[in-house]
Amino acid sequence: MIHLKNIHKSFGNAEVLTGVDMQIDEGQTMVILGKSGSGKSVLLKLILRLMSADAGTIIIDDEDTTTFTEEQMVPVRKKMGMLFQSAALFDSINVQENVAYMLREHTGMSNREIEDRVEEVLSFVQLSGVQEKMPSDLSGGMKKRVALARALAFKPRYLLYDEPTTGLDPLTAKTINELIRNTQEAHDVTSIVVTHDLISAFYVGDRFALIRDGVVSFSGTPDEFKASTDPFIVEYLACGREYN
Amino acid sequence: MRKIEVRHGGILEKGAIHTYELFRLTIDSVRYMFTRPSYFDTILEQMYQIGVRSLSIVLLTCFFTGMVLALQTGYQIARFGAKVYIGVVVALSMVRELGPVLTALVVAGRVGAGIAAELGSMQVTEQIDAMRAMATNPVKKLVTTRLIALLIMLPILTIIGDIVGIVGGMLISLYSLGLDFSFYKSTTIQALALQDIFTGLAKPVVFAFIIALVGCHLGLSTTGGTEGVGKSTTMSVVTSSILIFLFDFLLVKIFFLMFETG
Ligand SMILES: Nc1ncnc2c1ncn2[C@@H]1O[C@H](COP(=O)(O)OP(=O)(O)OP(=O)(O)O)[C@@H](O)[C@H]1O
Ligand SMILES: [Mg+2]
């Protein structure tokens, strides 16, 4: 369970988050929506403590991690997989080593076992056989999927996806949506999915949260979201529908 | 790795923050030398990179410096009939001063800048964040490994530079100033006392800290995208060079206190 209470974060004079409250229950997939620049990526980074909140409390599995040091965060981070919006692959090592990163760092697995695991997660994202390629030789969508494989490799209990389907064709996006759903169901993973892709949101989400003006302005089930009469949400959905 | 955010501080404030962070980074990276994992492969790889990047330029710089040193002092002291001391002058200047300082400056320009650029681009492309998100410590994985590699390689490069400089000076003395080889050899060896070897090797150890930590710190604190990477790279060369001169001066002071009056 992840519980965020009254999270504040600003950069210089720009107040990005001004009191976010959110709870993600065990095994649930929370979809976070919001306009570009509303602070969705910042929120994910705050959960992993890649940056620290100005105020507020973050509770992960009954532990208040708000004041944790880097060292104390290690076991918390080992439970979590993060797909960065920018993929953030290590560009000095190949795909194989990128995906194997946490396995090499934190397990005593043999080369053979690691290769098998890498092959397995790459096949989840439909990218078998690119192990030897360098990240700079991949397309944008391929980078995203390698990064997703890297996030899955260590079998995290929490998965934070930052725009998993952005930049993918509809067919590949569908595979990724199914993967997110399957991962959650098969391994009882708790997930947060930041997305602008409404098809994806409705496919994977158990609950929706909309970030607007620095706070969660809507929180509820997908059906409640659809039924909302809030003019912003109505327009948000209408714009999404125009394309579909 | 907790960062203090520089909001609208003046140059003094920024300087103080950089100094503090550099100091913290020094302590942390040294502390992590003694914890697992050791990242042995990464250290070897870094040692190789440092050697490959800087060996030829160190050889070139020190060889020519040795030759110039012999020429300049040769013509000057020949007037006093003290030509026989050229070997002594070249050897002492190279081992005590020019070898360590020139090697360090060259390595700061090649390796230090490379470290700042590499870590800087990792920072702005979120690779450092990714590393932290995957529960590894970037200071241990990136900074400590580079520090160890430089601590090993810079003294080795310095010794090579010293030797090449002395050889350069010797060639000029033999062929241009007409000195005798065995005489040159014996005066050179007599001139070098144990303390010169010691001071000559203490310097590269200190300079290795400067190059590694300044490069890493400026790389890791890069902001502002690709342009920021360029700034960090230049800053790292400037800052390390100034610190190398400053610490060279301080070390010479300390050595004199230790050896001359002791
Ligand atoms: N490291 C940082 N330093 C300064 N400002 C930042 C930093 N990271 C994010 N911001 C600012 O915080 C705000 C929110 O950024 P964030 O990346 O969370 O947006 P987002 O909701 O993920 O947008 P998008 O949907 O476009 O990805 C932006 O105004 C951005 O400029
Ligand atoms: Mg974002």
Side-chain angles (χ1 to χ4, degrees):
Chain A
M1 189 202 66
I2 298 177
H3 196 167
L4 310 177
K5 291 183 203 162
N6 198 24
I7 300 291
H8 289 253
K9 179 72 187 172
S10 43
F11 297 98
N13 296 325
E15 294 189 331
V16 177
L17 301 175
T18 53
V20 167
D21 290 293
M22 195 182 283
Q23 179 167 335
I24 302 112
D25 290 327
E26 210 62 38
Q28 203 175 55
T29 299
M30 171 70 87
V31 165
I32 299 183
L33 303 164
K35 276 169 63 172
S36 179
S38 56
K40 304 180 297 297
S41 300
V42 165
L43 194 66
L44 294 188
K45 287 180 190 166
L46 289 173
I47 293 172
L48 275 166
R49 262 195 78 84
L50 301 176
M51 38 176 81
S52 43
D54 301 335
T57 314
I58 299 173
I59 293 163
I60 299 169
D61 287 341
D62 302 323
E63 270 183 317
D64 182 349
T65 63
T66 320
T67 56
F68 270 21
T69 61
E70 285 286 300
E71 253 119 300
Q72 287 174 303
M73 277 310 287
V74 166
V76 181
R77 287 172 179 161
K78 279 187 189 171
K79 292 189 278 196
M80 302 193 155
M82 163 97 170
L83 167 65
F84 283 79
Q85 186 170 1
S86 65
L89 296 175
F90 300 124
D91 51 22
S92 60
I93 52 178
N94 64 16
V95 169
Q96 161 81 28
E97 290 309 308
N98 262 285
V99 177
Y101 189 84
M102 283 189 90
L103 304 176
R104 288 220 193 282
E105 287 285 323
H106 305 302
T107 71
M109 283 165 76
S110 70
N111 279 340
R112 181 81 238 149
E113 289 167 321
I114 288 180
E115 272 167 36
D116 290 347
R117 179 67 185 152
V118 170
E119 172 60 40
E120 185 186 17
V121 285
L122 280 177
S123 74
F124 289 165
V125 297
Q126 298 194 322
L127 274 178
S128 304
V130 300
Q131 278 92 330
E132 297 306 318
K133 282 207 160 79
M134 296 303 281
S136 56
D137 300 334
L138 301 175
S139 75
M142 286 164 90
K143 280 185 194 148
K144 211 49 185 271
R145 285 182 285 154
V146 171
L148 179 52
R150 183 174 72 174
L152 293 169
F154 198 60
K155 301 192 176 154
R157 278 189 39 235
Y158 291 95
L159 269 160
L160 314 181
Y161 304 88
D162 201 344
E163 305 196 11
T165 55
T166 303
L168 301 182
D169 63 275
L171 293 173
T172 317
K174 181 160 179 276
T175 325
I176 300 300
N177 288 334
E178 285 164 2
L179 176 66
I180 294 173
R181 195 78 247 183
N182 289 343
T183 313
Q184 187 242 335
E185 281 163 5
H187 305 293
D188 203 30
V189 167
T190 309
S191 319
I192 303 180
V193 182
V194 168
T195 189
H196 296 296
D197 173 354
L198 285 172
I199 302 176
S200 174
F202 282 104
Y203 191 90
V204 302
D206 298 317
R207 291 188 73 81
F208 281 19
L210 177 73
I211 296 188
R212 204 180 149 203
D213 301 327
V215 296
V216 175
S217 71
F218 169 91
S219 173
T221 64
D223 288 333
E224 284 166 1
F225 188 76
K226 256 186 213 160
S228 170
T229 53
D230 179 327
F232 182 86
I233 297 175
V234 172
E235 200 188 337
Y236 194 98
L237 283 168
C239 292
R241 221 172 281 123
E242 273 173 32
Y243 298 103
N244 303 316
Chain B
M1 279 258 303
R2 195 171 297 176
K3 286 269 152 61
I4 299 172
E5 273 167 43
V6 187
R7 293 236 164 86
H8 13 249
I11 190 156
L12 270 178
E13 229 170 327
K14 277 185 189 161
I17 290 169
H18 272 299
T19 312
Y20 169 77
E21 288 188 340
L22 199 56
F23 187 69
R24 281 294 310 267
L25 191 65
T26 312
I27 306 237
D28 284 344
S29 56
V30 170
R31 191 159 57 88
Y32 294 136
M33 280 183 188
F34 308 101
T35 61
R36 301 187 61 78
S38 63
Y39 294 122
F40 188 65
D41 292 348
T42 318
I43 294 173
L44 277 186
E45 164 71 19
Q46 286 299 321
M47 284 170 60
Y48 175 75
Q49 289 292 338
I50 293 165
V52 167
R53 276 194 204 161
S54 32
L55 183 62
S56 54
I57 179 99
V58 166
L59 290 178
L60 200 77
T61 311
C62 289
F63 186 64
F64 277 101
T65 305
M67 292 202 298
V68 168
L69 208 55
L71 273 179
Q72 292 279 18
T73 49
Y75 287 126
Q76 291 300 319
I77 64 182
R79 291 191 300 173
F80 310 109
K83 234 163 70 172
V84 291
Y85 290 116
I86 296 173
V88 180
V89 172
V90 171
L92 287 184
S93 313
M94 281 314 296
V95 173
R96 281 189 182 176
E97 195 55 43
L98 292 170
V101 172
L102 288 177
T103 307
L105 289 175
V106 164
V107 172
R110 299 284 288 178
V111 178
I115 290 174
E118 188 186 3
L119 269 54
S121 68
M122 287 181 78
Q123 177 65 259
V124 300
T125 56
E126 296 189 309
Q127 291 177 56
I128 304 284
D129 277 348
M131 210 171 248
R132 293 168 64 206
M134 291 193 281
T136 40
N137 185 326
V139 174
K140 174 149 184 53
K141 174 123 184 151
L142 300 172
V143 184
T144 302
T145 50
R146 280 161 179 75
L147 175 61
I148 293 174
L150 265 163
L151 281 172
I152 297 168
M153 289 308 283
L154 196 60
I156 294 176
L157 285 166
T158 303
I159 292 172
I160 296 172
D162 289 348
I163 293 172
V164 168
I166 290 173
V167 169
M170 188 185 74
L171 290 179
I172 291 293
S173 307
L174 299 190
Y175 296 108
S176 181
L177 303 171
L179 286 180
D180 171 62
F181 173 70
S182 61
F183 178 76
Y184 189 94
K185 197 182 79 178
S186 63
T187 51
T188 300
I189 291 173
Q190 271 168 21
L192 290 174
L194 205 60
Q195 71 191 55
D196 295 314
I197 314 284
F198 169 76
T199 59
L201 286 180
K203 281 182 183 182
V205 170
V206 175
F207 297 160
F209 271 98
I210 293 173
I211 296 167
L213 291 162
V214 168
C216 288
H217 166 65
L218 289 173
L220 289 176
S221 54
T222 300
T223 54
T226 326
E227 198 192 336
V229 176
K231 276 188 194 153
S232 295
T233 310
T234 318
M235 266 293 280
S236 88
V237 179
V238 175
T239 312
S240 329
S241 304
I242 293 171
L243 287 178
I244 285 167
F245 285 124
L246 178 70
F247 275 83
D248 184 51
F249 176 76
L250 294 176
L251 285 172
V252 171
K253 271 279 192 207
I254 292 169
F255 293 149
F256 275 132
L257 287 177
M258 273 169 66
F259 294 116
E260 310 297 303
T261 58

